[in-house]
Amino acid sequence: MTSSVIPATVLREGLPSRRLLIIMSGRVMCQVYHRIGDPVNLIPTTAPGQADNAMKSIPAPGSVVEESTSAPMPPTVEEIQLPNEQATVTITPIECVYPSKTSWTIQGAVKEKSELKPWFNRHLCIEQKVFTMILSDASGDIKANVMGERAEQIYSSLEMRKVYRIDKPKIVMAKKKLSGLSHDWEILFGKETTVVEGTY
């Protein structure tokens, strides 16, 4: 099937003859980035000069369009000066942590804390202690899991609604059905994880 352009003449009573083009189908051969001829709108839709400005804003063929390098700003990290120490610590918002080579430092208040429960470690074939807690900051909540000797060591020292700074936690995939949180990740206290009382 071929495309056709058919000229036709229509005669109407009391009106001069008109020549019509009936376009059955078509396809775009190329894109034109400049005005052809001097078209005039029957009903003006823009103020004088606006159409010219709009045409100038269309890039010419082959030109390189510079894309905006701006991006949504992530939640701001916070740097705090440790008392009686020279170094500063960068605090990352809880909602921003994810598995990476970065050693995260987060700070949050203990929103919930479970009981210290027995847990059978299948890898070591021994029974250990475990507890979980929900840490909260201005950006969101995250679940923390503490197992083994660490659980017994720090359980009694962590108080509800107090703020703690946690350095170098392990980031693991969240079990959302158990935690009820929207965060995609949870933290796990490893051998290098440290926890101290923090401040806001």
Side-chain angles (χ1 to χ4, degrees):
M1 180 177 180
T2 59
S3 301
S4 302
V5 178
I6 305 174
T9 301
V10 177
L11 297 177
R12 295 186 180 178
E13 186 177 352
L15 296 176
S17 62
R18 297 179 180 179
R19 180 160 295 180
L20 305 177
L21 292 179
I22 302 175
I23 303 175
M24 304 300 294
S25 63
R27 61 191 179 91
V28 178
M29 301 296 295
C30 63
Q31 292 183 337
V32 179
Y33 293 91
H34 59 276
R35 181 182 296 177
I36 300 177
D38 190 18
V40 178
N41 290 331
L42 297 178
I43 302 176
T45 57
T46 58
Q50 290 184 356
D52 293 335
N53 293 334
M55 293 299 297
K56 291 178 181 178
S57 64
I58 300 176
S63 63
V64 178
V65 180
E66 295 184 1
E67 296 184 358
S68 174
T69 58
S70 62
M73 295 298 292
T76 307
V77 297
E78 177 187 0
E79 290 189 352
I80 61 173
Q81 180 74 41
L82 298 182
N84 302 323
E85 297 184 22
Q86 297 297 324
T88 58
V89 174
T90 300
I91 304 297
T92 301
I94 281 176
E95 72 168 7
C96 296
V97 298
Y98 62 92
S100 72
K101 295 181 180 180
T102 303
S103 296
W104 301 109
T105 299
I106 64 173
Q107 183 169 261
V110 179
K111 188 175 181 181
E112 296 180 19
K113 179 183 172 185
S114 73
E115 296 180 356
L116 188 63
K117 300 178 180 180
W119 167 68
F120 185 77
N121 189 328
R122 295 182 180 179
H123 297 288
L124 301 178
C125 294
I126 58 174
E127 186 176 274
Q128 295 180 320
K129 298 292 185 178
V130 61
F131 76 93
T132 62
M133 56 184 174
I134 304 298
L135 298 173
S136 179
D137 69 1
S139 70
D141 301 340
I142 193 169
K143 183 180 178 182
N145 305 278
V146 191
M147 304 175 182
E149 293 181 0
R150 294 299 306 279
E152 297 183 66
Q153 292 171 354
I154 68 174
Y155 181 80
S156 59
S157 63
L158 299 176
E159 300 179 22
M160 289 289 295
R161 293 180 291 277
K162 270 197 173 183
V163 177
Y164 296 94
R165 188 175 73 247
I166 301 171
D167 186 46
K168 297 181 180 179
K170 292 184 177 181
I171 310 299
V172 297
M173 185 173 292
K175 297 178 181 178
K176 296 184 179 181
K177 291 183 179 180
L178 298 177
S179 68
L181 303 178
S182 60
H183 207 303
D184 292 329
W185 309 101
E186 298 177 357
I187 65 174
L188 176 65
F189 278 56
K191 293 182 180 180
E192 297 183 353
T193 307
T194 60
V195 54
V196 296
E197 192 169 335
T199 57
Y200 275 141

